[in-house]
Structures are given as structure tokens and as C-alpha cells.
Amino acid sequence: AQSVAQPEDQVNVAEGNPLTVKCTYSVSGNPYLFWYVQYPNRGLQFLLKYITGDNLVKGSYGFEAEFNKSQTSFHLKKPSALVSDSALYFCAVRDMDGNKLVFGAGTILRVKS
Amino acid sequence: NAGVTQTPKFQVLKTGQSMTLQCAQDMNHNSMYWYRQDPGMGLRLIYYSASEGTTDKGEVPNGYNVSRLNKREFSLRLESAAPSQTSVYFCASREKAGSSYEQYFGPGTRLTVT
């Protein structure tokens, strides 16, 4: 079965520093990977996806993610964190039948000024 | 475009009461989903509807029923609410075409069962 793991419950970063939120995956076949962000008391917002092509994917709000097949990872990155980036981040993978997404447990990102 | 809308935003039920959570999308999406979100457990799929006229169980369907009323609307019903169903419920939709596997989420319904 397809699955993703987010090994960190929480990541703390100082404003202006680069940030990384980690995600590893386990899939049969080619992985279709996604990142979502959830701000307090809001629904999830789509940030970016990897389907095929370049290993570095750019998304909304200055975020990018690096697909690494050998390490089965899809880490979310941003060169310079903002306090407003503080939120809950979810990694997800497309399920085998293509109809569903399987989500990780989520990582809380806290950016301090 | 309102996107995905959910009603109500908040609800408190007593054990054994029933209620229906409503979801509608105006993006002409084919697939719709119901999730629950609990602390430390991420999102868990309750039911989904891959296309109008079909519904399928997800990971945690027990205690819930769904109706795909038409292409726009997908409702979730709790027939006899239990405290274990206290959660935040999210509806989502997806355009079932090409490589558009990403889902778009509503704002959520916060349900408390006492």
C-alpha cells in the first residue's frame, strides 16, 4: 500500500532562515506526491505536486520540494522562512487506484521572529 | 467561485442524536471526499465518491453514511452520534481528468459529541 511518513512532529525555524519539512514515501510504481498547508481553523490548501519531470518542483508562497528517488523522499523547502509560514504541513501520495490521496500525520512548522 | 463549501461550521450533538453535514462544490469536479481530522492522526478518509452516482468506503466508514445528491453535492450523515465521532470534518473535491490528482478542501465542520 502507498504511504508517506513525516518523521518530525514539529519544526522550529528562525525568520529569514531556510526551512525544510521532511517527507518520505513508500509506493508501488511511480510516485505522485503532494504537499498541503493548513492554517489554524482553516481547510487544507494545495501547495505543490510532483508527477514527473524535474526533481525540483516549485509551488505557492515561495515553497518548493525536492523529489529524490534514491532516498524515497519529497522534502518541502523554502529559502527564507516567514512568521506567516507557521502552519501545519501535510505530505500526501496518490493511492494505487488513482482516486484517493494518502496523507501523512502532519508537521507543525513554527517560525519565530 | 466559492470552491468547496461546508455547513454547518460548528455543531454540538448529544450521544445518539443524528445529523447531516453538507458539502457543495462549484468547480464541476467529478470526485468528492469526506475526511475526519484528529490530533496526531492526520486526515483519515471516511467515504468518497469517484463520480456522480457512486460512493465507496474509505479508511474509517463505520458510523457514517453518505449521499452523492448530484454532481455538486456530497453529504455525510451520522445516524447515532458517539463521542468518538468528535472531530473536525473536511470535504474535498477533485477534477477527475489527466494528472489532476490534487484535491481541494472546504473550511471544515467542527463537531463535538457529548
Side-chain angles (χ1 to χ4, degrees):
Chain A
Q2 320 288 72
S3 66
V4 290
Q6 296 181 242
E8 301 154 319
D9 291 336
Q10 184 166 318
V11 170
N12 297 310
V13 176
E15 188 175 31
N17 282 1
L19 70 87
T20 299
V21 183
K22 296 180 180 177
C23 174
T24 58
Y25 65 87
S26 174
V27 301
S28 300
N30 293 324
Y32 287 35
L33 297 159
F34 305 81
W35 275 103
Y36 283 81
V37 61
Q38 184 181 29
Y39 298 102
N41 300 313
R42 304 286 293 276
L44 277 70
Q45 296 179 32
F46 170 69
L47 277 179
L48 52 80
K49 67 181 177 183
Y50 173 82
I51 302 295
T52 187
D54 287 344
N55 289 342
L56 187 64
V57 179
K58 294 191 184 298
S60 305
Y61 311 123
F63 284 94
E64 56 191 26
E66 186 171 12
F67 172 71
N68 188 316
K69 188 172 183 178
S70 63
Q71 296 186 5
T72 62
S73 66
F74 187 56
H75 300 333
L76 182 70
K77 302 185 179 193
K78 188 173 183 182
S80 179
L82 300 173
V83 172
S84 58
D85 293 329
S86 299
L88 180 57
Y89 290 81
F90 289 99
C91 181
V93 64
R94 188 195 71 162
D95 204 353
M96 287 290 290
D97 66 6
N99 283 321
K100 304 187 292 292
L101 294 179
V102 177
F103 286 86
T107 298
I108 297 170
L109 173 66
R110 294 202 194 281
V111 182
K112 295 187 178 180
S113 59
Chain B
N1 261 359
V4 179
T5 57
Q6 293 182 236
T7 56
K9 287 185 169 40
F10 301 95
Q11 184 72 47
V12 179
L13 291 179
K14 295 187 188 303
T15 298
Q17 289 185 318
S18 62
M19 78 161 296
T20 300
L21 281 65
Q22 306 286 354
C23 173
Q25 52 91 10
D26 62 1
M27 297 176 283
N28 201 35
H29 285 175
N30 290 301
S31 301
M32 297 185 74
Y33 305 82
W34 276 106
Y35 293 90
R36 59 177 289 171
Q37 182 180 25
D38 302 293
M41 303 193 73
L43 271 75
R44 293 183 292 171
L45 183 65
I46 304 170
Y47 271 94
Y48 69 102
S49 171
S51 59
E52 187 179 357
T54 68
T55 60
D56 286 285
K57 295 178 180 179
E59 183 184 353
V60 288
N62 290 346
Y64 305 95
N65 285 301
V66 290
S67 295
R68 184 74 183 266
L69 303 170
N70 47 55
K71 191 171 185 180
R72 289 187 64 249
E73 299 172 286
F74 188 39
S75 63
L76 178 73
R77 183 160 178 84
L78 287 70
E79 290 291 352
S80 179
S84 61
Q85 294 178 304
T86 293
S87 188
V88 182
Y89 291 85
F90 289 100
C91 178
S93 69
R94 174 174 84 85
E95 179 185 6
K96 194 177 178 182
S99 63
S100 299
Y101 295 100
E102 62 269 26
Q103 296 174 15
Y104 294 88
F105 285 77
T109 295
R110 190 172 296 271
L111 175 66
T112 301
V113 183
T114 62

